[in-house]
Amino acid sequence: MSNSYKISILGSGRVGSSIAYTLTVGGVCSEIVLVDIAKQLAEGEAMDIIQGTPFSNSVNIYSGDYKDVAGSDIVIVTLGRARKPGQTRIELAQSNVDIIKSVMPQVAEYAPNAIYVLVSNPVDILTYATLKVTNLSPNQVIGSGTLLDSSRLRSIVAEKLGISSRNVHGYVLGEHGDSSVVPWSLVSIAGMTIDAYEKAAGFGEEFIQEDNLMSMEKEMRESGAKVIQNKGATNYAIAMSVRYLCDNILRGGNTVMAVSSLMTGQYGMEDVCLSIPSIVNSSGLVKTLEPQLKEEEVEKLLNSANVLKNIISTLEF
Ligand SMILES: NC(=O)c1ccc[n+]([C@@H]2O[C@H](COP(=O)([O-])OP(=O)(O)OC[C@H]3O[C@@H](n4cnc5c(N)ncnc54)[C@H](O)[C@@H]3O)[C@@H](O)[C@H]2O)c1
């Protein structure tokens, strides 16, 4: 393997270990450090993955302490408590903010130049908390945000249309959670708007009917909880999303994706982290985009920002 990138993953639970496995299989980096307060768990996960590497790319995977994150190109944060069936992401907020407060200042000192990818929930709040409790710059701190939701939306639309999800582009914006927003005006199928694609494919008008779009939105929003209900956690799709994000950071992809970052006036939003389309490269999140949205879509986005701000106002950082 030719690259020599180092990625540290804080938290070796289902999400952290799945990310480590996915990064290994994808040949994204040459070194992975797993850190968890459950040291035996981190050690076991590292051993299990490394024992498969004769059949994959050569990656050095080991468990370590916070000091071992030094020299990381990327630090991925998956530690904390996960959502239980029926529990909202927000209910997790203060306990995971407290973990961020105790862990991130020291980690940021060991790896001041890394790009930080927040995954733990509530991800927008913890992205904000990380910026609050460290001196990291806003471009260095990226929340996976609605990257997963956008991928779920693309999969659902693709399934309905019977085409590859690679031909479906679109974003879920705002909170990674119940107040997320689907700007249907930005969805495109093979370079066409949805209605143009419908005509091109001879579908008639049934697909773009409001009911249909709303039911796809609902399915997207509820699918995470449904996976948790069925198997107790979500880990594979988030691992694949994070691998895509890391790959684009390390290879300087200049790729547009919906991820969470600190708002500084976009659409009139400030002092809150949430997802809007953004350009990611090796310097992190280098630019946010403000595509033109319909008036009601902007309203929903501002509502999502307010939902998050109201939660922030109840938390101690
Ligand atoms: N952003 C997304 O799209 C998305 C998707 C799935 C899961 N998640 C979130 O990812 C997080 C992890 O989920 P999971 O299923 O892996 O949970 P998990 O319980 O399996 O793993 C969490 C790990 O964090 C460790 N941990 C707790 N406190 C720690 C500390 N102070 N230092 C080091 N390690 C610590 C625990 O020992 C545990 O192994 C959750 O917050 C979950 O909600 C986010």
Side-chain angles (χ1 to χ4, degrees):
M1 202 175 127
S2 54
N3 77 53
S4 59
Y5 298 120
K6 173 173 176 178
I7 298 184
S8 295
I9 305 176
L10 311 182
S12 309
R14 276 180 279 201
V15 172
S17 58
S18 300
I19 292 172
Y21 172 74
T22 311
L23 293 173
T24 303
V25 172
V28 176
C29 54
S30 55
E31 188 174 346
I32 298 175
V33 188
L34 294 177
V35 185
D36 201 297
I37 36 167
K39 287 185 188 299
Q40 217 180 339
L41 175 71
E43 197 181 319
E45 293 292 1
M47 282 172 70
D48 194 13
I49 299 172
I50 208 158
Q51 286 167 5
T53 53
F55 309 114
S56 76
N57 303 282
S58 123
V59 186
N60 183 19
I61 307 161
Y62 54 96
S63 60
D65 294 317
Y66 294 127
K67 66 176 170 20
D68 296 307
V69 307
S72 297
D73 296 285
I74 299 177
V75 176
I76 302 170
V77 181
T78 75
L79 48 73
R81 295 180 185 93
R83 236 181 347 145
K84 307 257 162 17
Q87 188 183 34
T88 69
R89 293 180 182 89
I90 299 311
E91 284 161 359
L92 277 179
Q94 187 66 57
S95 61
N96 281 351
V97 164
D98 291 342
I99 294 176
I100 292 289
K101 272 161 51 179
S102 74
V103 168
M104 295 313 286
Q106 47 174 326
V107 169
E109 285 207 5
Y110 285 122
N113 300 318
I115 306 297
Y116 285 75
V117 173
L118 273 292
V119 180
S120 305
N121 276 320
V123 65
D124 301 293
I125 303 284
L126 300 189
T127 305
Y128 182 85
T130 300
L131 282 166
K132 275 266 177 210
V133 303
T134 64
N135 291 323
L136 297 168
S137 68
N139 70 295
Q140 272 179 284
V141 180
I142 306 175
S144 64
T146 55
L147 187 59
L148 173 59
D149 314 60
S150 303
S151 158
R152 284 176 176 149
L153 181 75
R154 290 172 65 189
S155 309
I156 291 165
V157 172
E159 199 189 328
K160 286 273 188 301
L161 289 173
I163 53 160
S164 164
S165 53
R166 288 173 182 240
N167 284 139
V168 179
H169 288 278
Y171 306 99
V172 178
L173 307 182
E175 179 200 4
H176 170 61
D178 295 340
S179 73
S180 65
V181 185
V182 180
W184 287 100
S185 60
L186 295 184
V187 172
S188 80
I189 321 283
M192 292 169 252
T193 60
I194 295 187
D195 51 345
Y197 180 79
E198 263 199 320
K199 288 191 188 92
F203 276 162
E205 296 257 308
E206 70 278 9
F207 184 76
I208 51 164
Q209 281 179 5
E210 192 70 9
D211 284 359
N212 224 343
L213 301 186
M214 288 308 112
S215 84
M216 283 188 282
E217 262 192 65
K218 189 166 179 285
E219 193 179 336
M220 176 281 294
R221 238 174 246 119
E222 291 175 355
S223 59
K226 192 164 177 199
V227 176
I228 293 174
Q229 201 75 45
N230 286 347
K231 58 173 266 193
T234 60
N235 53 317
Y236 297 123
I238 182 60
M240 289 156 85
S241 314
V242 170
R243 177 229 146 141
Y244 176 77
L245 174 54
C246 291
D247 210 30
N248 277 290
I249 292 169
L250 295 173
R251 291 175 212 283
N254 282 316
T255 309
V256 177
M257 55 185 93
V259 280
S260 188
S261 67
L262 184 68
M263 293 296 105
T264 54
Q266 294 87 336
Y267 297 101
M269 301 180 293
E270 261 182 312
D271 200 32
V272 64
C273 289
L274 51 66
S275 296
I276 60 173
S278 308
I279 300 177
V280 171
N281 69 20
S282 50
S283 301
L285 192 149
V286 289
K287 191 173 172 52
T288 52
L289 305 177
E290 289 174 76
Q292 194 177 357
L293 301 174
K294 289 182 171 171
E295 213 177 296
E296 66 264 26
E297 293 168 344
V298 175
E299 264 173 37
K300 286 182 186 166
L301 187 58
L302 297 180
N303 171 60
S304 191
N306 282 335
V307 167
L308 287 164
K309 286 185 111 166
N310 286 339
I311 294 158
I312 287 170
S313 69
T314 68
L315 299 172
E316 280 175 35
F317 293 98

